[in-house]
Amino acid sequence: MSGDEELMSGGEMLARALRDEGVEFIFGYPGGAVLHIYDALFRTNDIPHILVRHEQAATHAADGYTRATGKIPVVLVTSGPGATNAITGIATAYMDSIPMVVLSGQVPSNVIGEDAFQETDMVGVSRPIVKHSFQITDPRDIPATIKKAFYLAGSGRPGPVVVDIPKNKTAPGEQYPYSYPESVSMRSYNPTKRGHGKQIKKAAKLLVSAKRPIIYSGGGVIQGEASDQLIALARKLNFPVTNTLMGLGAYPASDRQFVGMLGMHGFYEANMAMHHSDLVFAVGARFDDRVTNTISKFCPDATIVHVDVDPTSISKTVNADVPIVGAASVVLEELLELVKAEMSSGESSYDSDAIARWWTQIDAWREAHGLWHAPRYNTNSDKIMPQQVVEMLYKVTGGEAYVSSDVGQHQMFAAQYYRFDKPRRWINSGGLGTMGFGLPAAMGAKLAHPDADVVCVTGEGSIQMNIQELSTCTHYNIPVKIININNQALGMVKQWQDMQYGGRHSESTYADSLPDFVKLAEAYGHVGMRVDKPEELEEKMRECFALKDRLVFMDIYVDPEEHVYPMLIAPNGSMRDMYLSKTERS
Amino acid sequence: MRRTLSLLMENEPGALSRVVGLFSQRGYNIETLSVAPTNDESLSRLTLTTIGDDRIIEQITKQLNKLIDVIKVIDLTDGAHIERELMLIKVRAKGEQRNEVKRCVDIFRGTIVDVLPDIYVVQLAGTSSKLDAFIDAMGEAGILEVARTGVAGIARGAKALKI
Ligand SMILES: Cc1ncc(C[n+]2csc(CCOP(=O)(O)OP(=O)(O)O)c2C)c(N)n1
Ligand SMILES: [Mg+2]
C-alpha cells in the first residue's frame, strides 16, 4: 500500500469510485440501507443524481440513457422494496442485452438471513435476470467490485450487473485506503472479439455466391457499434437488409436496400424475402420466436450464417450452418475485406444477374403490400388513424428524433412508420415487452441529448404504468414529448381477442375511467393537448414541438378499431403466412 | 443420452447457486451433482450428470461457460474417462441374512463400516450402475437408508482439467 492513498469510509469509496469510473448520472431513490451512501454522495460527489418517483423508473431511465448513448449510468436503490421495484427494469435490460449497473442497499451483514426489516435476498431474486452479481463482504473490495461491475456490464454480450451492499459496509467511521483500479482482468471471463478465421472465409464465399440472400440484423449491431460496417458490407454486395425490432436504425430505413422490419408485425417484403431466401446472414440477432414463427418451417431453402458475440445465441433455436462467434464490428470488417477480394477476383462467383432478379421479386412484394409503398390504412377516415400519428411525427421531427415507446399497438405502429436512419434512435423494450418503459426511458434519452427532440410514443394503458415520472420531469425540467396514441383500450390485447377469441373483450377496455390527461399533465406543471380531429393533427403537433423547453403531453384520440398488420399467422405458420388486413391473408 | 460434465469455477459464494439455477431456469435436468474445492483452494470442481440430446448438451455447455464464475467446462462423455460414485447404505442383516449380505458386499468389493446386531452399514464405490446393481441385490425390503454422493469423474490420459 502506498502512503499517498486517501483514507475513506465504504460509502465515500463508493461515491468516489463512481466518479472515477466516469459515471455521468445516478438514477436513484433513497432509503434506510443506502443512507450512508446518500450521505457520502451529498458530501463528496458532483455526479448529478435524478430522484425518480419509483425505482422501476430509475432502471428504465438508466436503460434509456444507455440505449441513446452507449454509456452506462448507475442505478441506486435501497434494500427490500427498493430492490424489488427495480427488478422489472433489470429484467427488461437483461432481455435486450443492455448494460446496466444497479447498486442495491442491503441490511447489515450481521442480520442477513434473519428476516430483518426491508431484507430481500437481492442477489437471489435477481439471479436469473442479471449477467452477474456481487455482494460486498469487505469495504476494501468496493472500488475493485465497481470496476468489475462496469466491465462485465459493458463487454461481451452486455447486460445488467447487481452490486448488493450491506449497510454496515458503507458506514462512516471505519476508513480504508482508496485506489481505483486502472484495468480489470478476470480469469473466468474472456469474451471473444475476433471470429474464427476459417469460418469467416467460408461465410465470405457463401455471401458472394448467394442468389437470393438477405441480411437479418438485430440489436447486437447497435450495441456493438457495427452499423457502419453493416452498411458497407450490404452496399458492396447489393443485398437486401431487414432489421429486427431491436435493430431498427442499424441500417438506414430510407435506403433502397432496406426492406423493413421482419417478424410478427414485420413488413410483407421482409418476411417474404426471409422465407424465400437461399442465404440468411444473421448478425447480432437471436432468431427470437417473434421473428421465426414456426421453427420447422423457417426459411426452408436457406443456408444460415450467424454472427454473434454470445455463443449461446447461436444454434439455440435455429441451427446455424456457419456459426461465427465474435464482435459484430470486427467480424463484419474482416468479412468486407474478404468479400471485396472475392468479388474482384477473376473467377468470382458473384452473380449480379441473380441478385437483380431477386430485387425484381422483392420490389414486386413491396408494391403489392409494402407499408411504405402506398398507404395500407384508411386515409379517408373522419377519425385519426394511429399510423397517421406516427407518420406525422416523422414528418414534424424530420426523422431526427429519439423515439422511445411502450408496449402494444402503438409500439408496432411506431416501429413500422417512423423510419429510423440512425442507430440508438429507437428505444423500446423488445424482449420483455415492458409496459411502463417509455416515459422513464425517454427521460434518460433526453438527459443524454438535451438539444434533441425526444419523444415517447405510448398508449393510454402503458403511460399509466409510470405516469408518476411526470413529477420527475418537472423536478429536473426534462422536456420530453409524450405522444399518447389513445385508443381507449389495451389495444394489442383487444386485437388478439378480436382475432382469436371471437371478439370477446375480456378486461381490455376502460374508456369510462380514463383520466383527463390534459389536466393531469397540467397538474404536474406541464402542457397538455387533446387532439381528435385528423385535420388538426399537423398543426397541433407542430405547436407541441415548437415548445422546445416544455414537456408536452399530446393526448391523441384515434380509431379504436384499428389493428396492426401485417401479422404472422400462428401457430403453425411460416414467415410467408401473414394476415395483411382484417380481410386479407398472404 | 446421459452425459457427465465437469467444470472448474471460482470458489466463491453464489457460484454454485448460479450453476444450479441455470438448470432450473432453462428446464434442463440434473441427475447427480457433486462439488468440492480442488487442490487450489480458490477453485471448485463440480461434476454433474444430465440427460439430453446433442443439441441440449451443447446449449448446456455453452450456458455453463457463459456464467461469469465458470472457468472451464468439459464433457467427460466425449472421451475415455473414469466415473466413480460413493454410496453408504444401511441394510437389514439378521440371522441367516448376515452371511448373505456379507457375501454380496464381498462380490461388489464393498466394505462393512458399521455393525449392529441386525444392521450393517456398507460403503461401496464404483460406477453408478454398479451401485444400482447393489441396491437391486439388497432388495427394497432389506434397505433402510441410502446416501450417494453423485458422480465424480476424470478423463483418462495425460490431459487435465485445470487453468
Ligand atoms: C407490464 C405489462 N403488463 C401486461 C402486458 C401485456 N400487454 C401487452 S400490450 C398491452 C396493451 C397495452 O395497451 P396500451 O398501452 O394502451 O397500448 P395499445 O396496444 O392500446 O396501443 C398489454 C396489456 C405487458 N406487455 N406489460
Ligand atoms: Mg391503448
Side-chain angles (χ1 to χ4, degrees):
Chain A
M1 185 197 319
S2 67
D4 52 6
E5 282 166 349
E6 245 177 285
L7 290 177
M8 295 180 199
S9 72
E12 288 163 350
M13 286 202 283
L14 186 66
R16 176 66 169 274
L18 296 181
R19 197 210 298 168
D20 288 348
E21 183 58 36
V23 170
E24 292 178 354
F25 276 101
I26 303 171
F27 296 92
Y29 209 92
V34 287
L35 281 176
H36 296 324
I37 300 174
Y38 269 93
D39 190 57
L41 287 174
F42 187 89
R43 285 184 289 107
T44 67
N45 219 289
D46 43 12
I47 305 173
H49 179 285
I50 303 295
L51 176 67
V52 291
R53 302 298 128 108
H54 186 297
E55 289 88 349
Q56 184 186 347
T59 53
H60 293 329
D63 184 324
Y65 186 93
T66 300
R67 292 189 205 225
T69 59
K71 297 187 222 169
I72 315 175
V74 80
V75 176
L76 173 57
V77 296
T78 194
S79 67
T84 56
N85 272 351
I87 288 294
T88 301
I90 297 172
T92 303
Y94 181 73
M95 287 296 275
D96 289 345
S97 309
I98 303 302
M100 177 178 287
V101 173
V102 178
L103 311 179
S104 55
Q106 184 53 278
V107 299
S109 53
N110 56 308
V111 298
I112 286 180
E114 294 178 4
D115 301 316
F117 178 62
Q118 296 194 326
E119 177 178 1
T120 298
D121 173 10
M122 180 57 169
V123 167
V125 169
S126 64
R127 199 193 56 226
I129 51 164
V130 295
K131 181 167 172 182
H132 197 57
S133 49
F134 298 94
Q135 189 177 58
I136 300 292
T137 52
D138 183 339
R140 275 171 278 254
D141 295 340
I142 288 174
T145 306
I146 294 296
K147 183 83 193 170
K148 275 187 197 165
F150 278 89
Y151 169 59
L152 288 173
S155 57
R157 179 176 182 175
V161 175
V162 164
V163 183
D164 198 43
I165 311 168
K167 183 170 185 180
N168 53 334
K169 307 298 173 189
T170 55
E174 277 177 72
Q175 305 236 307
Y176 309 90
Y178 173 90
S179 74
Y180 198 65
E182 297 208 336
S183 62
V184 225
S185 88
M186 296 172 71
R187 64 180 174 182
S188 63
Y189 177 73
N190 297 293
T192 316
K193 274 221 159 90
R194 288 197 58 177
H196 196 283
K198 256 200 199 138
Q199 295 290 86
I200 297 181
K201 276 202 189 106
K202 229 196 231 171
K205 285 219 155 64
L206 284 169
L207 281 169
V208 171
S209 56
K211 299 195 177 352
R212 298 187 315 278
I214 183 154
I215 299 177
Y216 150 45
S217 100
V221 174
I222 293 178
Q223 293 293 317
E225 302 284 356
S227 177
D228 291 345
Q229 290 85 344
L230 175 75
I231 295 168
L233 184 68
R235 295 237 168 98
K236 178 73 200 160
L237 288 158
N238 187 25
F239 282 5
V241 183
T242 178
N243 285 159
T244 65
L245 177 66
M246 291 307 302
L248 293 177
Y251 194 85
S254 43
D255 188 275
R256 188 191 67 88
Q257 281 170 246
F258 186 59
V259 295
M261 178 172 79
L262 81 172
M264 174 73 96
H265 292 296
F267 282 36
Y268 175 78
E269 54 269 46
N271 287 343
M272 291 300 270
M274 284 291 287
H275 185 86
H276 293 92
S277 65
D278 69 349
L279 179 90
V280 170
F281 178 72
V283 51
R286 59 187 177 89
F287 296 85
D288 180 277
D289 53 283
R290 291 282 145 133
V291 161
T292 58
N293 216 2
T294 312
I295 290 281
S296 58
K297 297 180 181 169
F298 177 74
C299 299
D301 304 327
T303 302
I304 295 184
V305 179
H306 190 180
V307 181
D308 205 286
V309 73
D310 176 7
T312 69
S313 283
I314 298 179
S315 300
K316 182 173 63 180
T317 58
V318 170
N319 195 56
D321 299 296
V322 183
I324 302 174
V325 178
S329 57
V330 181
V331 174
L332 288 176
E333 212 158 281
E334 236 173 282
L335 257 178
L336 178 62
E337 289 317 308
L338 293 175
V339 161
K340 276 184 184 159
E342 189 82 23
M343 282 173 77
S344 59
S345 86
E347 64 262 44
S348 167
S349 53
Y350 185 76
D351 186 346
S352 48
D353 291 344
I355 301 294
R357 280 196 300 278
W358 181 226
W359 273 116
T360 309
Q361 170 67 74
I362 290 171
D363 287 336
W365 285 325
R366 249 183 199 159
E367 268 167 52
H369 300 288
L371 292 185
W372 297 343
H373 188 80
R376 308 294 175 187
Y377 59 91
N378 181 2
T379 47
N380 297 316
S381 175
D382 55 357
K383 299 196 177 93
I384 299 176
M385 301 305 284
Q387 297 93 331
Q388 192 188 349
V389 175
V390 181
E391 291 202 299
M392 186 59 72
L393 178 68
Y394 180 75
K395 186 173 157 192
V396 168
T397 56
E400 288 290 326
Y402 289 81
V403 179
S404 79
S405 89
D406 271 296
V407 176
Q409 293 183 319
H410 63 272
Q411 172 193 27
M412 293 301 132
F413 290 131
Q416 290 177 337
Y417 286 95
Y418 201 98
R419 306 179 194 196
F420 294 95
D421 277 339
K422 293 180 191 147
R424 302 201 176 280
R425 298 291 166 121
W426 168 238
I427 296 167
N428 91 127
S429 164
L432 198 66
T434 309
M435 290 172 68
F437 176 81
L439 174 55
M443 289 172 7
K446 183 71 184 173
L447 288 164
H449 300 292
D451 299 327
D453 283 329
V454 176
V455 187
C456 167
V457 174
T458 186
E460 77 305 313
S462 296
I463 192 69
Q464 293 188 77
M465 286 213 181
N466 268 319
I467 190 84
Q468 77 287 341
E469 295 311 311
L470 286 175
S471 175
T472 312
C473 292
T474 312
H475 188 154
Y476 300 98
N477 186 25
I478 308 174
V480 298
K481 305 292 187 268
I482 296 170
I483 303 296
N484 188 38
I485 300 187
N486 192 337
N487 53 12
Q488 304 176 63
L490 300 172
M492 189 56 94
V493 172
K494 191 165 147 255
Q495 174 169 349
W496 283 59
Q497 290 170 339
D498 285 338
M499 295 173 74
Q500 294 177 23
Y501 297 89
R504 292 181 297 280
H505 296 161
S506 178
E507 304 300 328
S508 56
T509 58
Y510 41 38
D512 294 339
S513 56
L514 286 176
D516 179 336
F517 286 110
V518 172
K519 278 195 195 148
L520 187 65
E522 287 169 359
Y524 283 105
H526 304 305
V527 178
M529 287 180 184
R530 179 185 158 128
V531 192
D532 46 22
K533 294 185 195 59
E535 60 276 12
E536 287 180 349
L537 183 62
E538 175 155 9
E539 186 197 322
K540 286 276 173 67
M541 205 178 270
R542 291 202 183 279
E543 207 180 300
C544 159
F545 282 90
L547 293 169
K548 283 276 169 229
D549 48 7
R550 297 300 300 276
L551 184 152
V552 183
F553 192 117
M554 284 195 84
D555 188 18
I556 306 178
Y557 275 71
V558 298
D559 182 350
E561 302 304 324
E562 187 60 336
H563 285 179
V564 182
Y565 295 106
M567 181 168 176
L568 289 176
I569 297 175
N572 301 321
S574 71
M575 285 192 83
R576 73 172 159 187
D577 303 315
M578 286 166 265
Y579 298 109
L580 298 168
S581 71
K582 285 186 183 171
T583 53
E584 294 164 281
R585 308 168 54 137
S586 58
Chain B
M1 191 194 156
R2 179 177 173 279
R3 296 291 192 131
T4 306
L5 307 182
S6 249
L7 60 85
L8 284 178
M9 60 187 189
E10 299 289 356
N11 183 8
E12 275 183 12
L16 177 60
S17 71
R18 287 193 184 96
V19 171
V20 176
L22 176 72
F23 278 74
S24 60
Q25 276 156 49
R26 296 196 180 261
Y28 311 139
N29 62 41
I30 298 182
E31 299 260 295
T32 74
L33 176 77
S34 71
V35 57
T38 67
N39 55 326
D40 175 347
E41 279 289 318
S42 72
L43 292 175
S44 282
R45 176 160 178 149
L46 181 150
T47 302
L48 60 86
T49 56
T50 182
I51 291 182
D53 57 25
D54 288 352
R55 195 190 172 83
I56 292 186
I57 299 299
E58 189 187 327
Q59 261 300 311
I60 292 178
T61 311
K62 286 182 187 174
Q63 292 285 359
L64 285 169
N65 263 311
K66 188 171 155 182
L67 292 175
I68 306 296
D69 291 325
V70 171
I71 301 170
K72 262 189 186 159
V73 182
I74 52 165
D75 183 348
L76 289 170
T77 342
D78 276 346
H81 68 286
I82 301 154
E83 277 185 33
R84 291 291 180 271
E85 195 179 349
L86 178 73
M87 172 166 71
L88 295 170
I89 178 168
K90 201 175 272 183
V91 292
R92 280 184 227 283
K94 224 174 167 178
E96 274 293 279
Q97 277 176 317
R98 285 181 89 78
N99 268 332
E100 218 173 289
V101 170
K102 190 158 182 322
R103 245 196 326 276
C104 202
V105 171
D106 290 340
I107 293 169
F108 279 84
R109 295 179 192 279
T111 333
I112 295 171
V113 290
D114 194 22
V115 179
L116 280 90
D118 51 0
I119 289 171
Y120 283 148
V121 175
V122 178
Q123 168 190 314
L124 190 63
T127 61
S128 301
S129 55
K130 174 175 158 180
L131 306 195
D132 292 343
F134 185 78
I135 288 174
D136 282 349
M138 290 296 102
E140 197 58 44
I143 298 173
L144 292 165
E145 188 180 343
V146 173
R148 296 172 70 153
T149 58
V151 172
I154 203 160
R156 287 191 185 275
K159 235 177 114 190
L161 176 62
K162 59 172 196 218
I163 55 167

